[in-house]
Amino acid sequence: MIRAICATVVACGAISLPAGAAPLDVKIGYLGRADRTETISLVEMPPGNDGIAGAQLAIDDNNTTGKFLNQSFSVEDVRLKDQDDPAAATMQLADRGISLFLSDLRADMLLKASDAGRARGLIFFNAGAIDDRLRQQDCRANVIHTAPSRAMLADGLAQYLVWKHWTRWLLVVGSHAPDKLYADALRRSATRFGAKIVQERVFEDTGGARRTDSGLVQIQSQIPLFTQSAPDYDVLVAADESQVFADYLPYRTRDPRPVAGSAGLEPTSWDAALDQWGAIQLQDRFERKFSRRMTPLDMQAWTAVRMIGEAVGRIGTADPERILDYMKGPDFSIAAFKGRKLTVRDWDLQLRQPILLADGRTVVSVSPQEGFLHQFSELDTLGIDRPETKCQLK
Amino acid sequence: MWLRLVLGMALSALLAGEAGAFTAYVSNEKSNTVSVIDTEKWAVTKTIKVGQRPRGIAYTKDQKYVLVAVGDDDTIQMIDTTTNEVVDKLPSGPDPEFFTQGPDGKFLYVANEDDNTVTIIDIARRAQVGDVQVGVEPEGMAVSPDGKILINTSETTNMAHFIDTATRQVVASVLVDARPRFAAFKQDGSELWVSSEIGGTVSVIDPVKHAIKKKISFAIAGMRPEPIQAVGINLTRDGKIGFVALGPSNHVAVVDGTTHEVKKYLLVGERVWHMAFTPDEKYLLTTNGVSNDVSVIDVGALKVVNTIQVGEQPWGVTISDR
């Protein structure tokens, strides 16, 4: 439409924007996972377009804005299996002129893709991997993280539990590697904010199907048995990213105690129930477009694509190096329906963000909690702060 | 002679009484009500039940109605100002939040957040007469004093769109800071002020050049920048003072309209959204969404002089002009 107006109005300068005239076509590559994770709850099964749907909605939002700026945006979706080579997939997209990438790949695959892309100046937005090592020893100068880290999630939960004076935790950890990493983050948070882990138990994954026709009869007696004879505790905190047992805990513990972590009250970047700070508008447009609710991965991808749109709109170029510099700088921020501006930590390229605490039906609270202070930004009470970072960006 | 004296006294008493007695209507977003405030008694005289999620609220130019956008009912209700009852409604389009009128009060311009549209309604005919496609999540609305330009701000696109009210075309767009919420013209049309909630700034725009000439930022001693979120703006008729509601920082900034320097921060209730002057500009009322009250600012003294409890989560306010 703007083009039409420009044609009739003599002075196109009426559109007082950095790149008013020259059309700009911005292509984004999306590196997604081909495999689907199994969940205990049928309603939590990730949809086939988890993540990419958020990116596509943000493309629409960028294009609505772009029509006033003569900018257009598109995303190309590539799905990789565990055995596929992410470097090769990245190079194929790069050969077609793509230099901005979103990823919801696992940490090791993301690193292969981003390291392969460095020589060609490609930049990556990690929308999926919460591993702290990607923000610490394995951080990269060409990878920005819109997914919160495990440390941020654990800190967001710990602040709320401490605010509630639920400071005695029974920690139950799954037997898979990501579960152990989540437990590490929870232990760190407990120490930071003054909670005590009264005991730790490991829930071994002995295999087997998550759904059986015999149903829940056995679980109803297994979980009380597993949680009996514990020292006095206020809350059971579960570390079960692999979705083997945590969802079986609520209402089945031996003692009547709330459950948090991987079930019950869960820390997250987004919840379909969030309706404040204008979020209902985003939830509505997402549901209209995709006929389903918006997941955390959708939101992390939406945020990444909006960050690209925001940067390109402000600086008038899609040059990845300029975008990266702008995002690291003091002038960049993104509004993402969390009640405050989100900015990028310059020491590890993690997007600062509040952490929602949701129980699957409502948003119970949002961290940082009141009273957890910080000399620069209260958002930096969540996750690895500048003085403790092991990241050396290069 | 005697009669004339009595009449004269009665008249002056009446005038003195009238000087302070205006009526303010406050929309209470959570309780689905509108509180009616007498600005002489500084008290709520009536609470009107309205539709769901009332936010934008304004008198019609003829003062016969107060219009209130009830977003969750997808309409704008009309309250009769003599009976204080909801008597009619306007076809606003989906999820109306905020609206404005031109100087002649013929058309109502409504921001429909959900579908990137500004809807134009003929108030007398109660009918939609057009729409304009704008950026993502249209929110703030203002009409230039000469009625020729309609401003709409889009919250996710982060622009102020200039719309020609005759052709209903977007003629220019100006990028501002994140989540622009509110737009206000100086009465002489020389400046347009646009607040950015997440950006925490007010952009002062030259409406002829379509260019930002000054960006006002805010800093309150002892407070982090995050809660300082600019929302409502009210400028005095002479353009000498601008008041800016700063949301969860619980303060209203007093800005010099000429130099654009912040002169003072006034502590009001919690989460201050919108404001309205009494017509004599002696007082400015603010809606405080979290503390459920309205603060009264003495404009001459620049002091908060009163607080009135209203319904739950007050959002918008409009005051009669006589």
Side-chain angles (χ1 to χ4, degrees):
Chain A
M1 188 172 69
I2 271 294
R3 240 178 268 187
I5 293 166
C6 287
T8 51
V9 178
V10 180
C12 233
I15 303 134
S16 42
L17 296 158
L24 196 54
D25 187 20
V26 184
K27 290 196 184 78
I28 300 167
Y30 186 99
L31 305 172
R33 300 185 196 193
D35 53 329
R36 234 159 71 124
T37 45
E38 281 288 318
T39 59
I40 291 174
S41 166
L42 196 56
V43 299
E44 301 252 292
M45 289 290 281
N49 60 352
D50 197 10
I52 182 70
Q56 284 163 341
L57 183 66
I59 290 284
D60 287 359
D61 288 350
N62 285 355
N63 281 333
T64 304
T65 303
K67 75 184 180 201
F68 299 106
L69 294 165
N70 213 359
Q71 297 175 347
S72 62
F73 297 80
S74 58
V75 63
E76 193 169 330
D77 182 15
V78 174
R79 297 302 172 102
L80 301 177
K81 296 194 188 79
D82 280 353
Q83 64 273 21
D84 289 341
D85 178 8
T90 301
M91 287 309 136
Q92 277 172 17
L93 288 171
D95 288 343
R96 294 213 293 280
I98 292 177
S99 53
L100 304 166
F101 288 82
L102 259 64
S103 159
D104 77 22
L105 302 174
R106 289 197 329 261
D108 50 350
M109 292 182 78
L110 167 60
L111 289 175
K112 278 182 195 154
S114 59
D115 288 348
R118 268 175 77 173
R120 293 178 64 166
L122 312 182
I123 64 172
F124 293 78
F125 293 80
N126 168 27
I130 59 174
D131 302 67
D132 283 293
R133 72 179 171 105
L134 293 175
R135 290 84 172 163
Q136 290 273 60
Q137 64 273 22
D138 290 334
C139 71
R140 295 291 188 270
N142 62 340
V143 182
I144 291 178
H145 310 274
T146 58
S149 65
R150 274 195 190 89
M152 291 166 74
L153 295 165
D155 285 347
L157 177 63
Q159 285 190 7
Y160 178 75
L161 297 180
V162 168
W163 181 86
K164 282 292 292 171
H165 301 290
W166 293 347
T167 50
R168 296 175 303 171
W169 300 359
L170 176 63
L171 180 63
V172 181
V173 187
S175 54
H176 295 277
D179 311 336
K180 290 174 184 163
L181 291 171
Y182 193 18
D184 289 343
L186 288 163
R187 284 186 211 103
R188 171 184 168 276
S189 299
T191 310
R192 269 182 114 191
F193 298 117
K196 186 171 189 277
I197 294 168
V198 297
Q199 197 179 70
E200 283 194 28
R201 294 181 180 191
V202 175
F203 196 107
E204 286 292 339
D205 183 4
T206 51
R210 287 176 177 82
R211 257 162 291 286
T212 60
D213 283 347
S214 300
L216 299 169
V217 179
Q218 292 180 343
I219 292 156
Q220 185 163 328
S221 39
Q222 282 164 359
I223 297 294
L225 218 62
F226 179 78
T227 54
Q228 71 185 353
S229 311
D232 271 357
Y233 68 99
D234 301 311
V235 56
L236 191 158
V237 180
D240 176 33
E241 287 184 13
S242 315
Q243 292 259 337
V244 171
F245 66 95
D247 277 327
Y248 295 136
L249 294 168
Y251 309 107
R252 296 187 184 95
T253 50
R254 174 69 176 75
D255 304 304
R257 293 287 181 275
V259 175
S262 298
L265 188 70
E266 297 184 40
T268 179
S269 69
W270 189 249
D271 189 86
L274 183 73
D275 59 359
Q276 57 178 326
W277 302 309
I280 189 158
Q281 297 158 37
L282 182 66
Q283 308 274 23
D284 280 353
R285 22 183 215 281
F286 188 93
E287 196 153 343
R288 258 203 314 273
K289 187 171 166 76
F290 298 107
S291 302
R292 66 167 178 83
R293 294 188 174 138
M294 192 170 185
T295 69
L297 184 59
D298 290 325
M299 185 54 182
Q300 288 151 206
W302 182 90
T303 306
V305 174
R306 274 294 302 133
M307 285 170 75
I308 293 170
E310 183 69 15
V312 173
R314 301 270 174 194
I315 62 178
T317 169
D319 176 58
E321 199 181 326
R322 297 264 316 271
I323 289 175
L324 196 60
D325 282 347
Y326 179 64
M327 286 185 182
K328 286 192 285 189
D331 296 331
F332 178 80
S333 71
I334 188 79
F337 306 96
K338 308 245 170 103
R340 61 182 96 194
K341 63 175 101 169
L342 310 186
T343 52
V344 175
R345 289 178 181 152
D346 59 8
W347 61 89
D348 61 3
L349 305 187
Q350 168 69 50
L351 186 70
R352 289 184 181 90
Q353 55 191 295
I355 296 298
L356 314 183
L357 301 166
D359 68 355
R361 295 186 64 83
T362 61
V363 175
V364 175
S365 186
V366 180
S367 289
Q369 297 293 319
E370 240 182 284
F372 292 91
L373 303 177
H374 190 277
Q375 62 189 124
F376 301 115
S377 164
E378 268 134 44
L379 291 176
D380 287 343
T381 64
L382 304 172
I384 310 293
D385 200 0
R386 185 192 301 274
E388 45 187 348
T389 186
K390 290 181 202 148
C391 168
Q392 288 180 312
L393 290 173
K394 51 188 178 199
Chain B
M1 175 73 186
W2 177 83
L3 187 67
R4 200 182 291 172
L5 189 69
V6 171
L7 265 179
M9 278 165 68
L11 194 66
S12 58
L14 197 68
L15 282 174
E18 259 192 2
F22 307 105
T23 311
Y25 288 75
V26 174
S27 58
N28 300 305
E29 185 181 4
K30 178 96 177 164
S31 23
N32 295 339
T33 58
V34 166
S35 303
V36 185
I37 294 172
D38 180 317
T39 70
E40 194 178 34
K41 299 184 188 123
W42 295 126
V44 174
T45 55
K46 187 169 181 186
T47 302
I48 306 166
K49 276 195 174 170
V50 295
Q52 298 182 76
R53 205 172 182 204
R55 284 183 286 175
I57 189 164
Y59 266 92
T60 53
K61 296 286 174 184
D62 62 10
Q63 305 281 296
K64 284 183 183 163
Y65 301 100
V66 163
L67 308 176
V68 56
V70 284
D72 283 0
D73 286 345
D74 299 326
T75 191
I76 291 174
Q77 290 180 318
M78 304 178 78
I79 297 168
D80 184 317
T81 53
T82 51
T83 61
N84 276 338
E85 276 166 15
V86 175
V87 291
D88 213 339
K89 62 183 181 181
L90 295 171
S92 62
D95 193 23
E97 172 170 347
F98 203 75
F99 55 79
T100 190
Q101 301 163 68
D104 60 3
K106 187 169 167 18
F107 295 115
L108 194 69
Y109 303 98
V110 186
N112 296 112
E113 286 201 298
D114 253 9
D115 63 355
N116 307 341
T117 304
V118 169
T119 301
I120 304 163
I121 296 169
D122 184 318
I123 299 175
R125 288 174 47 213
R126 316 270 196 269
Q128 282 188 17
V129 291
D131 56 55
V132 184
Q133 286 298 306
V134 290
V136 183
E137 294 166 33
E139 168 90 23
M141 305 283 285
V143 177
S144 59
D146 62 9
K148 288 183 178 161
I149 292 290
L150 168 69
I151 302 296
N152 164 257
T153 68
S154 45
E155 287 180 315
T156 289
T157 294
N158 299 330
M159 287 181 184
H161 303 290
F162 286 65
I163 299 161
D164 184 320
T165 52
T167 63
R168 294 171 186 166
Q169 295 286 327
V170 175
V171 292
S173 297
V174 176
L175 259 178
V176 294
D177 285 343
R179 248 184 131 64
R181 291 257 347 198
F182 196 88
F185 275 97
K186 273 192 179 172
Q187 272 302 306
D188 63 3
S190 63
E191 286 179 0
L192 170 72
W193 292 28
V194 174
S195 64
S196 292
E197 184 180 26
I198 294 294
T201 57
V202 168
S203 296
V204 179
I205 297 170
D206 181 327
V208 179
K209 294 182 187 154
H210 304 127
I212 295 174
K213 60 185 214 185
K214 171 94 189 197
K215 218 173 253 187
I216 306 168
S217 343
F218 306 94
I220 301 171
M223 193 173 282
R224 301 252 178 277
E226 284 95 348
I228 302 175
Q229 302 181 350
V231 194
I233 301 170
N234 288 65
L235 293 150
T236 53
R237 273 190 292 273
D238 61 12
K240 288 193 174 149
I241 309 177
F243 291 89
V244 181
L246 296 176
S249 75
N250 312 333
H251 282 79
V252 169
V254 183
V255 182
D256 186 308
T258 316
T259 64
H260 306 120
E261 301 294 323
V262 181
K263 291 159 64 177
K264 205 172 175 184
Y265 295 96
L266 304 172
L267 181 65
V268 291
E270 291 173 53
R271 184 136 206 181
V272 53
W273 284 113
H274 291 285
M275 303 177 289
F277 285 113
T278 54
D280 54 13
E281 289 190 348
K282 274 189 179 170
Y283 299 104
L284 180 73
L285 274 61
T286 76
T287 55
N288 311 318
V290 172
S291 51
N292 298 339
D293 50 25
V294 164
S295 299
V296 182
I297 294 169
D298 182 323
V299 174
L302 294 180
K303 277 191 175 137
V304 177
V305 293
N306 216 326
T307 304
I308 306 152
Q309 283 295 315
V310 290
E312 282 177 84
Q313 302 192 1
W315 196 92
V317 53
T318 183
I319 301 183
S320 58
D321 68 10
R322 46 190 174 257

